[in-house]
Amino acid sequence: TRINARPTLTGHTNEVACVAFSPDGTWIVSGSGDGTAKVWDAATGAELLSLKKQVQPVASVAFSPDGKRLVTGTGNWSGAEKVPGEVKVWDPATGEELLSLKGPLDSIRSLAFSPDGQHIVTGSGNAYQPGEAKVWDANTGLALHSIKTYEVHSVAVSPDGRHLLTGSMDQTARVWDAGTGGELFVLKGHRSGGRGA
């Protein structure tokens, strides 16, 4: 018997790889190995919509700070072959695709909006290829700059938007200047690669 049982969100046909709450807490988004992202009512657990199925597994999801946009990142991180990822921006209320990021993308492992909602940061790479963090214009979908580093499993943006943080399989977290992409310092001491945002 479960205590304080809540509805279970069911509907994906493969593992759920990522989840996020909308900033106001009314929606939940989940991304799955089945190539779908679904938006749910956080109070009732009802599925509100399923975004257009992607070719690759949905590996990361994030809401914009105002909750009016939802970004999904896809990629196949298990194989030796280099499979391109996709990053798409959606309207979470209607499921309409608003934007697809332009330019070459590797398999996406993590992503985040900047606090002002003007930029999207992606993290990519796997054991068979170098990692990369990219900063994108969230309105045009164009890449602003790229940071070559080890396999990037997680990215975050500081509250003031001036710094990026990456967690990598080389057992480090690295802090970068968000405007230039220059490395500021390295945090060492982990005994395993960094995962999760």
Side-chain angles (χ1 to χ4, degrees):
T1 302
R2 291 186 300 162
I3 300 172
N4 298 325
R6 292 283 197 189
T8 301
L9 309 179
T10 57
H12 288 293
T13 59
N14 202 322
E15 69 181 43
V16 174
C18 51
V19 292
F21 274 103
S22 62
D24 65 3
T26 60
W27 294 329
I28 296 169
V29 63
S30 57
S32 171
D34 64 12
T36 65
K38 294 180 181 289
V39 178
W40 312 82
D41 184 300
T44 67
E47 182 180 323
L48 301 176
L49 58 89
S50 183
L51 302 179
K52 183 175 66 178
K53 187 173 171 98
Q54 307 290 293
V55 175
Q56 299 293 334
V58 177
S60 190
V61 293
F63 281 96
S64 62
D66 64 5
K68 294 181 179 177
R69 292 173 292 165
L70 168 64
V71 62
T72 60
T74 69
N76 180 4
W77 347 273
S78 59
E81 71 279 0
K82 187 172 181 175
V83 179
E86 290 184 309
V87 176
K88 295 185 180 290
V89 179
W90 311 84
D91 181 329
T94 66
E96 176 188 0
E97 183 180 324
L98 302 174
L99 183 66
S100 182
L101 299 191
K102 299 168 180 65
L105 284 162
D106 291 331
S107 292
I108 300 300
R109 288 190 167 272
S110 59
L111 46 77
F113 267 99
S114 62
D116 63 4
Q118 297 303 304
H119 300 103
I120 296 169
V121 180
T122 58
S124 64
N126 65 33
Y128 304 99
Q129 62 195 33
E132 181 177 47
K134 275 189 177 181
V135 179
W136 306 82
D137 184 302
N139 298 304
T140 65
L142 297 175
L144 300 176
H145 55 79
S146 174
I147 299 166
K148 300 290 186 187
T149 185
Y150 295 90
E151 179 183 351
V152 179
H153 279 261
S154 57
V155 295
V157 183
S158 65
D160 63 6
R162 295 175 53 205
H163 301 103
L164 307 178
L165 180 64
T166 59
S168 300
M169 282 303 290
D170 68 343
Q171 303 176 8
T172 67
R174 295 172 188 266
V175 179
W176 311 85
D177 183 298
T180 67
E183 184 178 282
L184 300 175
F185 54 89
V186 180
L187 307 173
K188 297 181 180 179
H190 291 283
R191 294 185 183 154
S192 183
R195 295 183 189 268

